[in-house]
Amino acid sequence: MKKFLGEYGMVLVLFALFVLFSLLTLNRESATGAAAASRLSKEMLAAMSSKTEVFVVGAVRKPSGDFAGFVAADLGKNEKVTVTQVIGTPRDLRQAWDTAEAEGNTPSLLVVSGDVLKWTILSALQEESPDLEIIYPTERMVSDFLKRGNLLAIVDRIVVIAVIAIGMTLVILTGGIDLSVGSLVALSAVMATLAIKVMGGLEAGGGAIWAGFLIATLACGAIGAIAGFLVARFEVAPFITTLAVMLIARGAAFMMTGGFSIYQVPDSITWLGRGATFGIPNTVLVLIVFYVAGHVFMRHTRWGRYIYAVGGNEEAARLSGVPVKRILIFVYLVCGLCAGFGGCIQASQLATGAPNLGVMFELSVIAAVVVGGTSLSGGSGRVMGTLIGAFIISVIQNGMNLLGFDSYLQQVVLGAVILFAVLLDKARQNGT
Amino acid sequence: MNESRVTPLLEMRGIHKRFPGVHALNEVNLSLYAGEVLALLGENGAGKSTLIKMLGGAHQPDEGEIWIEGEGVVIDSATAAREVGVAVIYQEFNLIPELSVSENLFLGREKTYCGLIDLSGERREALKWLDCIGLDIDPDSKCGDLTVAQQQVVEIVKALAVDARILVMDEPSAVLTAQEVERLFQVVRDLKDRGIGVIYISHRLDEIDSIADRLLVLRDGQYIGGGAVSEIGRDTLIEMMVGRSLEKEFPPRDVTVGEEVLRVEGLNRGTAVKEVSFSVKAGEIVGFSGLVGAGRTETMRLIAGADLGESGEIWVNGELVSVRSPRDAIAAGVCLLSEDRKKEGLVLSHSSVDNFGLPNLEFYSRKGWLNDRLEQNEFDVYRDELAIKVAGPDQLAGELSGGNQQKVVLAKWLARRAHVMLFDEPTRGIDVGAKYEIYQLMNRLAGEGKAIIMVSSELPEILGMSDRIIVMKGGCLVGEVENGPETTQEDILALAMEEPATV
């Protein structure tokens, strides 16, 4: 049982969170699309025998207003019906009603939807003319959480963290830690946007953008490799080495920009962070490609196996002929590359490079890795677990936002989740 | 001293201790009188450490009683040991290197003045104690800066400062120079005069003669004999320590020795390995004997590239190889089964298959991509051949028994098909049945023409398995013996223990 919890516990937690937030954010909502409008119009026409006065009511700049427009257009095609379209406030409805009554054209049907249903004037009108029939589309339960827009927002919010977390997983698997990733996000975003600014600024083409991204990512990879070299060759504690790199990278980012943001980039820079390919958001594609690659690498290559071995027992690995130093340099290099690419995504999402990006990201990234079941002492954990961990954190944040939790409480809850994950990890270690 | 009239300071009666699979102590009796030095002797694994750990509170006897000055006591913690007046000085000192001598002396029982530590008071008292033991060091100096000998005396002072009446010393001389040992003996004689009873563990028989009054020999957890040192001759003593039948404990071997496979010339590494040169031929098993700390393991680690030495040449199959790392050694066909399989041999949190594959992934992968099935199939072959008992593919190496762990380590090196196999204490902590299987395997490897070195602290094993025996002492080769039916453990022990003619 404990073993099962250790292996699949986090998937279950993520699933439970999905269910929980889906239920908690359920709202009654009437359909307001064009399809629902034409369906409703057809039903009304079928039920109509004689010539009828119809009022179609909607609120301004609300789904109900759009819906009223659709219904009015559909009904207007039929000569049996006289349609009056009222889009506005309850006051507008009262005026239109009174005008129609004065002209002797008191409507017998009132088509409403969404928020208009809550207007008190509707019951007043029904009292005045008992024959009045109020028609509205069928209501259904909709979860705000499960809406496509919201799910994509979750991905958008976590994509940078999740990409970096792959590199962090490798580092933590060797028993190390990399605190510099947050600063590298800023450095990368700044370098990428600076390069693009130099290569044409607002008029820069796609080639310049990709060149900027490539330069920034490779530079961060090089910085990671240097940190890895210090860890491997001189056996400096990873915590200290990367703490120093964190300060240096952040300072460098501020120095490069003089403290300002760089926004002289073309709009097309947002393709990576906000665009889509074949209808799938690019951020989703990035996550899929990176995580599949990470998983395959760790499971099916020699170096993947070596990374686990170095974290599990460095001395045994060394005596077995594993090139421990090269492995250590490699994981920090990969972590740097991931942070660099994460910075490019961030710059793309914001269409800006700012030196204050990525503050505290290292902690979110480490949290994602740990929640995903990778042991901080190294040697055990999985890349796919990290993806789950990142999503758990993002889903909790998103759900709490939807439910209107204030941000301080959100921090408390997130902290509790991390503690829970670590305890689960302990339970697993004791269980096996 | 008339023993019938005087109550012993310490008496252990009918002590039993069982660990899973081992009867570590079997009906052991021990008595110690005030003002005497009792030498506790026995081979590695004879049960000496278990016995003294009971006095230190680290282990509890399963059966038996401990009496101190005629009163039964229970020693269930280090604190309890201190309260009944027992102090144990282990081989690894319990000093905190970053703290000063006086801070270490008063650790856990600081003198305070108004809630603050009374530094000058502690210093005064520390000086008093150091003076009375004759150690001339500044109580403010850091313990980490002291020599090993000085640290040892600080440990003794620490014991005296808590009024210990029984002092247990575990191989105190193992790391000391000759002069330092002499000083230590002066301190011990001084303790005797104060009426303190000392239990002294050592492998150096010369020392026993000069410091101990009585001795007690353990073997395989049993009391073998004892008495006044003056009444027991050296030969009798060695026989008591090692004497057991070797018949049928080791499988026979019939191998013709071939060409030279490994030659080592002038290996040096600090004081651990000095000018070591030897060679091993195909099909030959060479036993490395010597006391713990003689430099045998260090020599093997140099050959296997685990450590880097200052100088030395390693030739494999007539070719000079440069060994800068374990990778180089493995590539040259040299494999080391290290002494400590848990720390150096296995990744305990990974499966047996993963451990098996670790040095062999180049065989089970193409361009870096693993072929898991090939790896698993290869492991299955060795698993069946070595009769490794694995519960399933997911079982972690850390969950296996000692014998099975050792077999997994063996399997991973066998799959390398190396020319030279270095076995460092291959049967330590393994039950008799598995030992025999490992011996058989070594014979088979010899039959396949491999050069084999076996480091072992168990003399019967050395005599039972080796074609040739090399003895080390203090980092040097001190003797080489062609093993034959007339070779005895006494011959080897004599070589391992005698003082070298020149240093």
Side-chain angles (χ1 to χ4, degrees):
Chain A
M1 182 60 199
K2 269 180 180 165
K3 185 156 185 172
F4 177 81
L5 267 184
E7 295 286 328
Y8 304 104
M10 281 305 155
V11 181
L12 293 180
V13 169
L14 183 59
F15 182 72
L17 285 171
F18 256 85
V19 173
L20 176 72
F21 286 126
S22 303
L23 292 177
L24 287 177
T25 59
L26 270 183
N27 269 322
R28 294 179 78 77
E29 199 178 85
S30 52
T32 48
S38 73
R39 205 165 48 238
L40 187 69
S41 313
K42 272 196 197 113
E43 283 170 23
M44 284 168 63
L45 291 171
M48 257 176 237
S49 47
S50 55
K51 200 166 159 59
T52 323
E53 289 284 340
V54 179
F55 262 34
V56 183
V57 189
V60 193
R61 282 193 292 278
K62 286 277 176 67
S64 60
D66 299 338
F67 185 76
F70 296 135
V71 173
D74 277 349
L75 290 180
K77 289 176 203 152
N78 195 305
E79 58 281 356
K80 277 198 288 189
V81 190
T82 319
V83 181
T84 312
Q85 192 178 320
V86 184
I87 295 180
T89 60
R91 215 174 100 92
D92 296 328
L93 175 58
R94 167 58 73 184
Q95 278 175 355
W97 181 274
D98 290 347
T99 318
E101 214 170 25
E103 288 168 10
N105 297 332
T106 316
S108 57
L109 279 178
L110 205 58
V111 180
V112 297
S113 69
D115 46 333
V116 182
L117 268 167
K118 293 179 194 132
W119 290 3
T120 46
I121 187 174
L122 293 185
S123 45
L125 291 177
Q126 225 162 6
E127 269 173 39
E128 285 171 33
S129 91
D131 294 341
L132 179 66
E133 203 177 333
I134 295 175
I135 292 175
Y136 49 88
T138 44
E139 283 187 330
R140 53 189 178 133
M141 301 296 282
V142 171
S143 165
D144 290 340
F145 177 79
L146 285 177
K147 282 183 180 164
R148 180 182 153 88
N150 187 58
L151 293 179
L152 289 180
I154 293 177
V155 174
D156 277 348
R157 178 153 182 181
I158 204 62
V159 63
V160 176
I161 299 285
V163 164
I164 303 170
I166 295 175
M168 186 68 83
T169 306
L170 267 55
V171 169
I172 290 181
L173 277 175
T174 66
I177 196 97
D178 189 345
L179 298 179
S180 68
V181 291
S183 298
L184 289 181
V185 164
L187 186 65
S188 165
V190 163
M191 285 179 76
T193 48
L194 266 181
I196 294 166
K197 183 180 168 188
V198 170
M199 289 184 287
L202 292 170
E203 274 74 48
I209 292 173
W210 284 110
F213 285 173
L214 188 67
I215 291 169
T217 305
L218 291 181
C220 289
I223 293 170
I226 292 170
F229 177 75
L230 295 173
V231 169
R233 177 69 181 78
F234 300 107
E235 290 171 17
V236 188
F239 188 96
I240 300 301
T241 311
T242 58
L243 183 73
V245 174
M246 167 178 138
L247 295 172
I248 293 169
R250 178 73 63 190
F254 271 96
M255 281 161 62
M256 280 180 179
T257 63
F260 298 105
S261 298
I262 295 165
Y263 48 85
Q264 295 92 334
V265 289
D267 287 343
S268 55
I269 193 176
T270 60
W271 179 83
L272 179 62
R274 293 191 221 152
T277 307
F278 305 124
I280 306 169
N282 290 332
T283 48
V284 174
L285 290 176
V286 163
L287 280 187
I288 292 173
V289 169
F290 271 64
Y291 272 88
V292 168
H295 175 80
V296 169
F297 176 78
M298 290 307 289
R299 282 279 140 172
H300 299 290
T301 70
R302 257 163 82 181
W303 276 53
R305 182 79 68 76
Y306 285 167
I307 290 171
Y308 279 104
V310 168
N313 185 342
E314 186 173 326
E315 184 62 5
R318 189 176 76 93
L319 292 175
S320 294
V322 173
V324 172
K325 290 190 166 63
R326 266 182 273 165
I327 295 288
L328 285 176
I329 294 172
F330 175 76
V331 294
Y332 287 92
L333 163 79
V334 170
C335 196
L337 288 174
C338 287
F341 190 66
C344 295
I345 298 174
Q346 184 92 75
S348 166
Q349 283 180 329
L350 304 171
T352 313
N356 60 353
L357 290 177
V359 174
M360 303 278 275
F361 269 30
E362 56 279 350
L363 298 186
S364 301
V365 170
I366 293 167
V369 175
V370 172
V371 170
T374 296
S375 161
L376 275 180
S377 48
S380 75
R382 283 165 307 153
V383 170
M384 283 301 173
T386 298
L387 183 63
I388 306 288
F391 267 100
I392 286 178
I393 290 177
S394 183
V395 161
I396 289 175
Q397 282 178 337
N398 177 274
M400 288 191 295
N401 277 336
L402 290 180
L403 295 174
F405 282 38
D406 72 58
S407 62
Y408 307 122
L409 182 58
Q410 291 193 13
Q411 292 189 19
V412 174
V413 173
L414 272 181
V417 168
I418 292 169
L419 280 182
F420 173 72
V422 176
L423 288 176
L424 199 71
D425 181 45
K426 278 283 164 207
R428 185 173 62 106
Q429 282 178 5
N430 297 338
T432 52
Chain B
M1 196 180 296
N2 188 336
E3 294 184 9
S4 59
R5 273 196 296 120
V6 184
T7 318
L9 187 56
L10 166 74
E11 235 189 321
M12 298 174 87
R13 297 179 191 160
I15 302 286
H16 284 263
K17 181 73 189 178
R18 297 174 191 86
F19 294 115
V22 192
H23 201 150
L25 288 175
N26 186 355
E27 192 65 27
V28 172
N29 297 299
L30 177 153
S31 57
L32 174 72
Y33 293 88
E36 74 165 352
V37 175
L38 173 71
L40 188 55
L41 298 169
E43 284 187 295
N44 294 333
K48 294 169 301 184
S49 347
T50 315
L51 195 64
I52 63 165
K53 277 182 183 162
M54 282 179 185
L55 291 174
H59 285 325
Q60 300 294 303
D62 294 335
E63 281 173 48
E65 295 165 340
I66 300 176
W67 293 66
I68 287 178
E69 291 186 323
E71 277 179 47
V73 294
V74 174
I75 305 178
D76 54 5
S77 68
T79 324
R82 192 162 71 190
E83 276 165 9
V84 297
V86 177
V88 181
I89 301 175
Y90 295 103
Q91 278 171 293
E92 292 91 27
F93 300 142
N94 280 320
L95 298 174
I96 297 174
E98 288 305 310
L99 294 185
S100 75
V101 172
S102 81
E103 280 167 331
N104 264 296
L105 286 180
F106 291 95
L107 195 64
R109 44 176 209 99
E110 286 77 6
K111 291 168 80 75
T112 53
Y113 180 76
C114 299
L116 301 173
I117 293 178
D118 178 10
L119 287 175
S120 56
E122 282 191 355
R123 197 172 183 282
R124 263 197 311 279
E125 198 164 317
L127 261 180
K128 195 185 80 192
W129 280 111
L130 292 171
D131 273 354
C132 88
I133 208 83
L135 185 65
D136 182 26
I137 50 171
D138 181 359
D140 289 336
S141 47
K142 267 197 219 166
C143 275
D145 297 339
L146 302 180
T147 68
V148 178
Q150 287 171 327
Q151 291 187 21
Q152 195 165 47
V153 179
V154 172
E155 280 272 17
I156 296 175
V157 173
K158 210 171 128 185
L160 294 180
V162 295
D163 287 330
R165 286 159 303 154
I166 299 162
L167 191 63
V168 184
M169 304 172 86
D170 189 3
E171 297 207 44
S173 60
V175 285
L176 301 185
T177 65
Q179 291 97 322
E180 286 171 337
V181 171
E182 199 38 57
R183 268 196 64 86
L184 174 73
F185 284 180
Q186 278 168 20
V187 173
V188 172
R189 286 187 194 110
D190 187 39
L191 297 177
K192 277 173 66 171
D193 294 345
R194 292 161 187 264
I196 289 172
V198 178
I199 296 179
Y200 190 97
I201 295 176
S202 177
H203 281 299
R204 300 187 182 174
L205 297 187
D206 307 340
E207 288 177 16
I208 306 301
D209 290 340
S210 56
I211 192 71
D213 302 307
R214 288 191 307 126
L215 57 82
L216 187 155
V217 180
L218 291 180
R219 193 173 71 220
D220 295 334
Q222 281 177 312
Y223 172 83
I224 297 300
V229 169
S230 51
E231 289 165 12
I232 299 175
R234 170 77 65 102
D235 294 343
T236 329
L237 185 54
I238 291 178
E239 220 175 275
M240 281 162 71
M241 283 168 65
V242 297
R244 77 183 116 176
S245 152
L246 301 189
E247 286 157 5
K248 302 234 174 97
E249 207 180 325
F250 303 97
R253 177 170 73 251
D254 184 20
V255 173
T256 26
V257 171
E259 297 284 297
E260 177 183 283
V261 176
L262 173 73
R263 190 163 93 241
V264 167
E265 278 178 14
L267 277 191
N268 274 297
R269 181 171 162 256
T271 55
V273 180
K274 297 174 202 156
E275 282 301 322
V276 168
S277 306
F278 64 92
S279 70
V280 186
K281 299 190 180 70
E284 195 180 27
I285 297 182
V286 174
F288 265 65
S289 188
L291 302 176
V292 171
R296 299 167 302 167
T297 295
E298 289 77 2
T299 306
M300 297 307 127
R301 286 178 63 89
L302 285 182
I303 300 171
D307 296 324
L308 280 181
E310 287 96 42
S311 63
E313 289 180 352
I314 297 165
W315 300 70
V316 178
N317 286 332
E319 275 180 48
L320 179 64
V321 290
S322 158
V323 176
R324 309 276 313 159
S325 70
R327 259 175 104 69
D328 295 342
I330 292 168
V334 178
C335 292
L336 168 67
L337 267 89
S338 55
E339 179 180 27
D340 187 337
R341 62 178 167 268
K342 290 191 178 186
K343 278 194 191 141
E344 299 173 347
L346 290 169
V347 184
L348 294 175
S349 57
H350 294 177
S351 72
S352 325
V353 188
D354 283 0
N355 273 291
F356 166 78
L358 201 53
N360 303 308
L361 289 186
E362 62 192 79
F363 305 138
Y364 311 141
S365 63
R366 184 179 292 173
K367 292 187 175 155
W369 293 91
L370 292 180
N371 184 340
D372 288 343
R373 191 172 302 161
L374 182 61
E375 184 187 18
Q376 180 72 49
N377 290 345
E378 280 286 298
F379 175 70
D380 289 347
V381 170
Y382 285 98
R383 187 195 60 201
D384 297 344
E385 198 177 305
L386 302 179
I388 306 175
K389 291 179 197 74
V390 184
D394 293 332
Q395 192 182 26
L396 303 183
E399 298 165 357
L400 299 174
S401 73
N404 281 312
Q405 284 182 345
Q406 188 69 315
K407 286 180 186 174
V408 171
V409 179
L410 269 168
K412 84 174 191 181
W413 291 122
L414 289 181
R416 283 294 320 183
R417 303 181 204 289
H419 309 300
V420 181
M421 307 276 291
L422 314 173
F423 291 82
D424 194 355
E425 303 283 1
T427 62
R428 176 177 290 174
I430 287 178
D431 61 80
V432 182
K435 273 186 186 177
Y436 194 81
E437 290 173 90
I438 288 172
Y439 296 145
Q440 278 180 317
L441 185 81
M442 288 170 71
N443 282 348
R444 209 190 73 202
L445 292 171
E448 288 169 10
K450 299 191 191 307
I452 295 174
I453 296 179
M454 178 181 67
V455 173
S456 174
S457 296
E458 289 187 45
L459 281 173
E461 183 171 277
I462 289 278
L463 288 170
M465 289 301 296
S466 316
D467 295 309
R468 199 146 51 90
I469 299 164
I470 291 176
V471 183
M472 285 190 79
K473 179 180 164 66
C476 305
L477 299 191
V478 291
E480 192 174 322
V481 181
E482 283 296 330
N483 194 13
E486 66 284 351
T487 315
T488 62
Q489 301 191 30
E490 287 79 359
D491 297 344
I492 309 296
L493 259 188
L495 275 173
M497 290 193 185
E498 81 181 1
E499 291 296 324
T502 50
V503 179

